[in-house]
Amino acid sequence: MWENLDLDAIDQELRWAHDVGFSKLRVFLHISPFIQNSTQYLKQIFSFLAVAKSRGHHVIPVLFDDCWNGNWADGKQPEPIPGLHNSQWVQCPGNVKFDDATLKNYVVSIIGTFKDNDAIAFWDLYNEVGNSGKTINSLPFCIKVFEWARLAEPSQPITSGWWNGDIAFDLINEFIFKESDIITFHAYCNTSCTQ
Protein backbone atom coordinates (compact mmCIF):
# COMPACT_ATOMS: atom_id res chain seq x y z
CA MET A 1 0.00 0.00 0.00
CA TRP A 2 2.66 2.52 1.03
CA GLU A 3 5.21 1.66 -1.63
CA ASN A 4 2.72 2.33 -4.42
CA LEU A 5 0.12 4.62 -2.87
CA ASP A 6 -2.84 4.63 -5.27
CA LEU A 7 -5.12 7.38 -3.95
CA ASP A 8 -7.74 6.79 -6.65
CA ALA A 9 -8.11 3.12 -5.68
CA ILE A 10 -8.09 4.05 -1.99
CA ASP A 11 -10.78 6.67 -2.56
CA GLN A 12 -12.96 4.07 -4.30
CA GLU A 13 -12.45 1.55 -1.48
CA LEU A 14 -13.24 4.16 1.15
CA ARG A 15 -16.43 5.09 -0.71
CA TRP A 16 -17.46 1.44 -0.60
CA ALA A 17 -16.59 1.28 3.10
CA HIS A 18 -18.67 4.38 3.77
CA ASP A 19 -21.60 2.99 1.77
CA VAL A 20 -21.76 -0.14 3.95
CA GLY A 21 -21.55 1.86 7.17
CA PHE A 22 -17.90 1.93 8.20
CA SER A 23 -16.83 5.05 10.06
CA LYS A 24 -13.49 3.95 11.55
CA LEU A 25 -10.61 2.31 9.71
CA ARG A 26 -7.66 0.53 11.28
CA VAL A 27 -4.70 1.16 9.00
CA PHE A 28 -1.43 -0.70 9.45
CA LEU A 29 1.77 1.27 9.11
CA HIS A 30 5.21 -0.33 8.86
CA ILE A 31 8.70 0.78 9.76
CA SER A 32 10.12 -0.24 6.38
CA PRO A 33 8.89 2.74 4.29
CA PHE A 34 9.78 5.06 7.17
CA ILE A 35 13.38 3.79 7.13
CA GLN A 36 13.57 4.05 3.33
CA ASN A 37 12.29 7.63 3.09
CA SER A 38 10.60 9.11 6.14
CA THR A 39 9.74 12.41 4.45
CA GLN A 40 7.92 10.68 1.59
CA TYR A 41 6.20 8.29 3.98
CA LEU A 42 4.85 11.09 6.16
CA LYS A 43 3.54 12.85 3.03
CA GLN A 44 1.81 9.64 1.96
CA ILE A 45 0.16 9.27 5.35
CA PHE A 46 -1.01 12.92 5.14
CA SER A 47 -2.50 12.18 1.71
CA PHE A 48 -4.22 9.04 2.94
CA LEU A 49 -5.69 10.83 5.96
CA ALA A 50 -7.03 13.60 3.72
CA VAL A 51 -8.83 11.07 1.51
CA ALA A 52 -10.20 9.22 4.53
CA LYS A 53 -11.47 12.44 6.09
CA SER A 54 -13.10 13.50 2.83
CA ARG A 55 -15.08 10.23 2.90
CA GLY A 56 -16.17 10.69 6.51
CA HIS A 57 -13.79 8.16 8.05
CA HIS A 58 -11.63 8.38 11.13
CA VAL A 59 -8.39 6.40 11.04
CA ILE A 60 -6.83 4.19 13.71
CA PRO A 61 -3.14 3.87 12.78
CA VAL A 62 -1.37 0.70 13.95
CA LEU A 63 2.40 1.00 14.43
CA PHE A 64 3.50 -2.53 15.35
CA ASP A 65 2.14 -6.03 14.84
CA ASP A 66 2.99 -9.57 16.03
CA CYS A 67 0.78 -11.37 13.47
CA TRP A 68 1.79 -13.77 10.74
CA ASN A 69 5.18 -13.62 9.04
CA GLY A 70 8.07 -12.46 11.22
CA ASN A 71 10.64 -12.53 8.42
CA TRP A 72 10.27 -9.88 5.77
CA ALA A 73 12.37 -7.88 3.32
CA ASP A 74 11.89 -4.63 1.46
CA GLY A 75 10.71 -4.63 -2.13
CA LYS A 76 8.07 -6.64 -3.96
CA GLN A 77 6.23 -8.95 -1.60
CA PRO A 78 5.17 -12.54 -2.36
CA GLU A 79 1.83 -13.00 -4.06
CA PRO A 80 -1.06 -13.89 -1.72
CA ILE A 81 -1.95 -17.55 -1.30
CA PRO A 82 -5.53 -17.91 -2.60
CA GLY A 83 -8.05 -18.72 0.13
CA LEU A 84 -5.64 -18.10 3.05
CA HIS A 85 -6.47 -15.10 5.24
CA ASN A 86 -3.61 -12.55 5.31
CA SER A 87 -1.32 -15.14 3.76
CA GLN A 88 1.64 -12.82 3.14
CA TRP A 89 1.08 -10.37 5.99
CA VAL A 90 4.30 -9.31 7.70
CA GLN A 91 4.93 -8.37 11.30
CA CYS A 92 6.46 -5.07 12.34
CA PRO A 93 9.24 -5.17 13.30
CA GLY A 94 9.01 -8.97 13.37
CA ASN A 95 12.31 -10.83 13.38
CA VAL A 96 14.11 -7.99 11.63
CA LYS A 97 16.32 -6.32 14.23
CA PHE A 98 16.40 -2.56 14.77
CA ASP A 99 18.09 -0.69 17.58
CA ASP A 100 15.94 1.11 20.13
CA ALA A 101 16.93 4.53 18.80
CA THR A 102 15.55 3.67 15.35
CA LEU A 103 12.32 2.22 16.74
CA LYS A 104 11.84 5.16 19.10
CA ASN A 105 12.42 7.63 16.26
CA TYR A 106 9.77 5.85 14.17
CA VAL A 107 7.18 6.04 16.98
CA VAL A 108 7.90 9.61 18.04
CA SER A 109 8.11 10.89 14.45
CA ILE A 110 4.89 9.27 13.26
CA ILE A 111 2.82 10.12 16.31
CA GLY A 112 4.45 13.53 16.74
CA THR A 113 3.66 14.48 13.16
CA PHE A 114 -0.01 13.50 13.39
CA LYS A 115 -0.65 14.04 17.11
CA ASP A 116 -3.30 16.72 16.50
CA ASN A 117 -4.69 15.48 13.18
CA ASP A 118 -8.47 15.24 13.58
CA ALA A 119 -8.70 12.45 11.00
CA ILE A 120 -7.13 10.12 13.60
CA ALA A 121 -9.57 8.58 16.08
CA PHE A 122 -6.90 6.98 18.27
CA TRP A 123 -3.58 5.14 18.04
CA ASP A 124 -3.46 1.33 18.18
CA LEU A 125 0.20 1.11 19.10
CA TYR A 126 0.71 -2.63 18.88
CA ASN A 127 -1.59 -5.18 17.26
CA GLU A 128 -2.01 -8.51 19.06
CA VAL A 129 0.97 -8.28 21.37
CA GLY A 130 2.50 -11.73 21.83
CA ASN A 131 0.90 -13.42 18.83
CA SER A 132 2.83 -15.90 16.64
CA GLY A 133 4.09 -17.74 19.71
CA LYS A 134 5.92 -14.74 21.15
CA THR A 135 3.66 -14.40 24.24
CA ILE A 136 5.43 -12.70 27.16
CA ASN A 137 8.59 -12.09 25.10
CA SER A 138 6.82 -9.15 23.44
CA LEU A 139 6.00 -7.37 26.69
CA PRO A 140 9.33 -5.52 27.17
CA PHE A 141 9.04 -4.06 23.67
CA CYS A 142 5.37 -3.17 24.21
CA ILE A 143 6.32 -1.27 27.38
CA LYS A 144 8.86 0.77 25.40
CA VAL A 145 6.35 1.51 22.64
CA PHE A 146 3.91 3.00 25.14
CA GLU A 147 6.70 5.08 26.70
CA TRP A 148 7.79 6.40 23.30
CA ALA A 149 4.19 7.16 22.28
CA ARG A 150 3.70 9.24 25.43
CA LEU A 151 6.81 11.26 24.56
CA ALA A 152 5.05 12.45 21.38
CA GLU A 153 2.15 13.83 23.49
CA PRO A 154 -0.70 12.89 21.13
CA SER A 155 -4.04 14.60 21.62
CA GLN A 156 -5.70 11.33 20.55
CA PRO A 157 -5.98 8.33 22.91
CA ILE A 158 -3.48 5.47 22.72
CA THR A 159 -4.29 1.79 23.15
CA SER A 160 -3.32 -1.76 22.33
CA GLY A 161 -6.14 -4.23 21.84
CA TRP A 162 -6.84 -7.13 24.18
CA TRP A 163 -7.10 -10.27 22.08
CA ASN A 164 -6.08 -13.32 24.12
CA GLY A 165 -7.37 -14.38 27.52
CA ASP A 166 -4.93 -17.28 27.99
CA ILE A 167 -3.01 -17.21 31.27
CA ALA A 168 0.24 -16.75 29.34
CA PHE A 169 -1.05 -13.31 28.38
CA ASP A 170 -2.05 -12.15 31.87
CA LEU A 171 0.93 -9.81 32.33
CA ILE A 172 0.53 -8.40 28.82
CA ASN A 173 -3.19 -7.79 29.37
CA GLU A 174 -2.59 -6.25 32.77
CA PHE A 175 -0.11 -3.85 31.23
CA ILE A 176 -2.23 -2.80 28.24
CA PHE A 177 -5.33 -2.31 30.40
CA LYS A 178 -3.35 -0.12 32.77
CA GLU A 179 -1.56 1.95 30.14
CA SER A 180 -4.25 2.34 27.46
CA ASP A 181 -6.31 5.53 27.44
CA ILE A 182 -9.25 3.55 26.07
CA ILE A 183 -9.92 -0.19 26.19
CA THR A 184 -10.08 -1.92 22.82
CA PHE A 185 -10.39 -5.63 22.10
CA HIS A 186 -10.70 -8.24 19.39
CA ALA A 187 -13.36 -10.96 19.58
CA TYR A 188 -12.76 -14.07 17.47
CA CYS A 189 -15.82 -16.03 18.42
CA ASN A 190 -19.54 -16.23 17.83
CA THR A 191 -21.99 -14.02 19.67
CA SER A 192 -22.59 -16.55 22.45
CA CYS A 193 -19.06 -16.18 23.82
CA THR A 194 -19.46 -12.43 24.37
CA GLN A 195 -22.52 -12.67 26.58
Side-chain angles (χ1 to χ4, degrees):
M1 174 175 166
W2 299 111
E3 188 170 306
N4 300 299
L5 190 69
D6 184 342
L7 292 176
D8 290 334
I10 287 170
D11 184 57
Q12 178 62 60
E13 290 177 353
L14 296 188
R15 273 188 271 144
W16 291 332
H18 182 269
D19 290 348
V20 296
F22 283 95
S23 62
K24 306 277 189 295
L25 306 167
R26 254 184 5 134
V27 176
F28 286 77
L29 308 181
H30 201 281
I31 197 169
S32 175
F34 181 82
I35 297 292
Q36 292 175 39
N37 187 334
S38 61
T39 302
Q40 178 182 327
Y41 192 36
L42 294 172
K43 287 179 183 176
Q44 289 177 318
I45 296 170
F46 266 120
S47 298
F48 175 84
L49 291 173
V51 172
K53 186 174 179 180
S54 76
R55 293 293 168 199
H57 295 290
H58 284 94
V59 176
I60 304 160
V62 183
L63 297 180
F64 295 105
D65 184 10
D66 274 352
C67 291
W68 293 87
N69 302 310
N71 299 312
W72 55 269
D74 294 329
K76 181 166 173 43
Q77 300 300 300
E79 292 298 316
I81 299 169
L84 182 61
H85 170 63
N86 286 351
S87 62
Q88 301 299 347
W89 192 263
V90 294
Q91 297 174 25
C92 179
N95 300 329
V96 179
K97 300 300 179 198
F98 295 96
D99 59 56
D100 277 0
T102 300
L103 294 162
K104 177 181 177 182
N105 182 45
Y106 166 65
V107 173
V108 173
S109 295
I110 296 284
I111 295 178
T113 300
F114 301 102
K115 67 180 187 173
D116 294 316
N117 191 306
D118 63 1
I120 293 178
F122 58 89
W123 297 91
D124 185 352
L125 300 179
Y126 199 149
N127 181 58
E128 299 197 357
V129 181
N131 203 339
S132 303
K134 294 181 175 185
T135 61
I136 197 67
N137 296 318
S138 292
L139 181 56
F141 180 54
C142 183
I143 291 169
K144 290 177 184 178
V145 172
F146 271 81
E147 290 172 356
W148 298 333
R150 295 272 184 222
L151 290 175
E153 300 181 332
S155 61
Q156 311 95 339
I158 62 173
T159 191
S160 179
W162 178 93
W163 70 280
N164 192 314
D166 188 275
I167 193 168
F169 289 83
D170 282 355
L171 289 176
I172 293 171
N173 293 335
E174 181 182 335
F175 173 78
I176 62 174
F177 286 149
K178 178 182 172 203
E179 295 298 322
S180 293
D181 296 327
I182 58 174
I183 301 301
T184 57
F185 63 93
H186 305 181
Y188 298 110
C189 56
N190 61 33
T191 56
S192 66
C193 78
T194 61
Q195 297 180 21

